[in-house]
Amino acid sequence: MREEVKRILGIAIPLIIICIISGAALTATYGLTEERIEAVEQQKINESLSTIFLGASFTEMDDYYIATVSGEEIGYAFIAEGTGYGGTIRTMVGMYPNGTISGVSIISQSETPGLGTRIAEPDFTNQFSGKRIEGVRLRRDGGVIDAITGATISSRAITDIVRERAEVVMNETR
Amino acid sequence: MKLDELTKGVFKQNPIFYLVLGLCPTLAVSTRVDNALGMSLGVFFVLVCSNVIISLFKHRIPPQVRIPCFIVIIASFVTIVDLFMHGYAPELHERLGIYLPLIVVNCIILGRAEAFASKKSVFDSFLDAVGMSIGFMLAIVGIALCRETLSSGKIAIFDYTIVPTFTQSPSVMMTLPPGAFLTIAVIMAMIKYKAIRKEGR
């Protein structure tokens, strides 16, 4: 019996020690990089905010931003995310109070390189500017957005993500 | 012969073309040359560190649980790379995406730990890891060169244009998985052809 316990501990203890050391090393690395990673993520958000409302300043609300130009409220910005073809698509969306999209910018996506990744190109995202949220669907689904050839699923995903989130924010801000 | 441990990974036992290990990241990330370079860098760090650490502790790791031990060690180094790249090279981190954390399951790394580092001396394991990483880099960058040229009609590494645009109608297929399989197959066939010719057959 004692022999058996000894044998099992002899196997288990080295593994436990390795796990503890690894855990400690990862905690240390996380602590070292945490601030930096947060800054990187925040910068991505700031960059996309400034592309959809040029020259505006932003006040953060619960789950959206209010864009103001010299004290006057001009619209709302919010993050819309959902599942695309290859993973999560995260977008920053700007919307005027009347329900018109001011602009869409992709924060992160992992679509198929060369096909789905073209949703991040201005040729595609510029289509959203000035469209009513009801119209943010692909043309074949009765909307006004042209899909990217060969990337219908990615194109449809982003229109759905933007429209659904925009409707929610529209209701919240009303 | 020490140098042999280094050079074997580059040519004679090239992980991609001879051992045919680590094909998943090779297929996925060889769409662009700069992605391939970033991936190679990650693999280099993880492979060298894990090989050295595993070789250092090879007598302390019980054989019954060696695979879990290897994986914990490898996964830790991968997470370290992932965190640092996220903080200091966010653009590259973004483009490598899910394939960066997936270095954990890159068969080259576990393969070298199991087949080499757990048996040989620390220094030999270090040389082996460096050689294998260089071999991996040559292979994946070579494949990426073919694919990026054919799929985008130009090559730009970190915004420096290496090959200017030479066609307006590149082949989209080369950026998709079939393009990767085709490229690997053609290169592998050429290597085998040369080897057979050398034998005088």
Side-chain angles (χ1 to χ4, degrees), chain B residues 14-27:
Chain B
N14 185 289
I16 305 293
F17 293 121
Y18 281 92
L19 307 180
V20 201
L21 287 175
L23 281 189
C24 346
T26 312
L27 294 170

Side-chain angles (χ1 to χ4, degrees), chain B residues 23-156:
Chain B
L23 281 189
C24 346
T26 312
L27 294 170
V29 182
S30 60
T31 47
R32 292 182 53 165
V33 176
D34 40 13
N35 292 1
L37 282 171
M39 187 55 152
S40 314
L41 218 69
V43 167
F44 178 84
F45 176 80
V46 174
L47 188 54
V48 169
C49 293
S50 68
N51 247 21
V52 167
I53 294 286
I54 287 166
S55 180
L56 261 175
F57 295 106
K58 59 181 176 292
H59 299 303
R60 310 227 163 221
I61 295 173
Q64 299 93 328
V65 288
R66 65 182 191 286
I67 303 288
C69 292
F70 296 165
I71 289 291
V72 169
I73 294 169
I74 294 167
S76 306
F77 284 120
V78 171
T79 313
I80 290 172
V81 170
D82 189 38
L83 287 171
F84 271 104
M85 218 181 250
H86 195 168
Y88 294 91
E91 206 182 307
L92 190 61
H93 182 266
E94 177 106 335
R95 276 201 264 122
L96 292 178
I98 185 69
Y99 296 104
L100 194 60
L102 280 182
I103 294 178
V104 178
V105 286
N106 185 323
C107 334
I108 299 170
I109 295 163
L110 186 61
R112 292 330 286 172
E114 169 75 3
F116 200 94
S118 59
K119 299 186 180 102
K120 302 290 175 71
S121 77
V122 176
F123 187 61
D124 283 357
S125 301
F126 172 77
L127 287 182
D128 177 73
V130 173
M132 285 290 160
S133 311
I134 295 173
F136 177 75
M137 188 189 79
L138 285 180
I140 190 172
V141 170
I143 296 164
L145 276 171
C146 300
R147 289 182 71 191
E148 190 176 347
T149 312
L150 295 173
S151 69
S152 67
K154 63 177 174 44
I155 292 183

Side-chain angles (χ1 to χ4, degrees), chain A residues 22 29 36 41 44 107-108 112, chain B residues 72 76 84 86-87 90 94 176:
Chain A
S22 295
T29 316
R36 182 80 203 189
E41 290 302 313
K44 270 190 209 163
I107 302 172
S108 66
T112 316
Chain B
V72 169
S76 306
F84 271 104
H86 195 168
E94 177 106 335
L176 296 173

Side-chain angles (χ1 to χ4, degrees), chain A residues 5-166:
Chain A
V5 172
K6 240 184 176 174
R7 194 181 66 84
I8 292 174
L9 285 182
I11 296 169
I13 288 175
L15 180 56
I16 293 170
I17 293 174
I18 288 176
C19 289
I20 291 172
I21 295 174
S22 295
L26 290 185
T27 312
T29 316
Y30 183 78
L32 271 177
T33 53
E34 188 189 11
E35 248 175 67
R36 182 80 203 189
I37 290 174
E38 249 169 46
V40 164
E41 290 302 313
Q42 191 56 45
Q43 199 195 341
K44 270 190 209 163
I45 291 175
N46 291 345
E47 271 170 19
S48 48
L49 275 176
S50 62
T51 58
I52 52 176
F53 285 114
L54 289 171
S57 49
F58 298 91
T59 323
E60 194 170 351
M61 303 302 282
D62 276 346
D63 53 356
Y64 59 91
Y65 299 84
I66 296 176
T68 47
V69 170
S70 49
E72 204 175 322
E73 201 172 299
I74 57 160
Y76 311 104
F78 48 89
I79 291 170
E81 62 183 345
T83 311
Y85 183 71
T88 303
I89 302 177
R90 248 183 135 205
T91 63
M92 180 63 80
V93 183
M95 183 174 69
Y96 297 114
N98 65 3
T100 307
I101 302 290
S102 81
V104 170
S105 128
I106 310 282
I107 302 172
S108 66
Q109 47 82 20
S110 44
E111 301 303 287
T112 316
L115 287 174
T117 48
R118 289 174 57 203
I119 58 169
E121 290 175 7
D123 276 351
F124 182 74
T125 52
N126 285 347
Q127 293 189 75
F128 288 86
S129 308
K131 304 286 156 58
R132 305 271 319 160
I133 52 176
E134 308 85 60
V136 177
R137 289 170 202 274
L138 297 188
R139 222 168 264 287
R140 70 177 73 178
D141 301 334
V144 293
I145 306 289
D146 288 316
I148 289 164
T149 313
T152 312
I153 296 177
S154 302
S155 310
R156 181 173 289 138
I158 183 172
T159 55
D160 288 346
I161 290 165
V162 169
R163 190 188 59 252
E164 280 162 18
R165 189 81 187 93

